[in-house]
Amino acid sequence: MKLLKEHIRHSGRVIGNDILKVDSFLNHQMDIGLFQEIGQEFKRRFAENKITKILTIEASGIGIACITAQYFDNVPVVFAKKFSARNLNSEVYESQVFSFTKDAHYSIRVDKKYLTPNDHVLIIDDFLANGNAVLGLLDITKQAKCEVDGVGIVIEKSFQSGRNSVLEQNVRLESLARVKSLVGETITFVD
Ligand code: 5GP
């Protein structure tokens, strides 16, 4: 997606040789015009699918998922919670995720009420690195026995293993920008 790649080239900052910081438009300050273009692009790519729910993970995925849902007939957005809380129903699907950016494991949970075997789910997230967040969400959809129509990623770091891990699950993957390498301040895309 050309507009997204322009934003990444112009405002992305590289940390080390594997972290891309895009706080000015995606992960901290959010560019809603760009989010709308992202949502429309996901809709174009999954136009044939009868999506009934968008599933994402707390926190960065939520904004993108909400704007995207507007182009899918306002289907509900469910986000997996990272923090256990007393007001979260004990009837939950749960999975363990290893965080690439925090270098630690955490649990994600979704209340059983919000995913059913009748659902056709589109999983959305901001980044795909080693795929652990998406694999955790896929694990939850398996527990809920719902159909996953695909995974939509805003920025895929193609030099990490996430793409293969997701495709090994026989799930369709659509990434709007695929980063081939991060070297110094130079960001190179796959295509
Ligand atoms: P994975 O689970 O695929 O290894 O990592 C994906 C998650 O880690 C994303 O949800 C995202 O929040 C975070 N993440 C991974 N790599 C990056 C990165 O380069 N930049 C930012 N901002 N977040 C990242």
Side-chain angles (χ1 to χ4, degrees), residues 146-181:
C146 46
E147 193 71 40
V148 178
D149 284 24
V151 175
I153 297 290
V154 180
I155 304 175
E156 171 190 307
K157 292 186 294 179
S158 307
F159 55 88
Q160 292 180 279
S161 58
R163 180 174 194 82
N164 283 341
S165 303
V166 174
L167 294 180
E168 274 168 14
Q169 301 289 313
N170 293 319
V171 178
R172 180 173 164 204
L173 170 65
E174 292 288 340
S175 303
L176 304 190
R178 298 185 62 203
V179 175
K180 187 156 92 182
S181 66

Side-chain angles (χ1 to χ4, degrees), residues 96-109:
Q96 297 296 313
V97 173
F98 178 75
S99 165
F100 173 73
T101 44
K102 297 195 178 67
D103 196 22
H105 281 92
Y106 60 93
S107 297
I108 55 171
R109 299 174 192 85

Side-chain angles (χ1 to χ4, degrees), residues 79-85 88 92-95 107-111 140:
F79 65 90
K81 297 205 177 199
K82 286 183 180 168
F83 304 101
S84 98
L88 187 63
V92 291
Y93 300 116
E94 184 163 2
S95 193
S107 297
I108 55 171
R109 299 174 192 85
V110 171
D111 191 313
I140 281 181

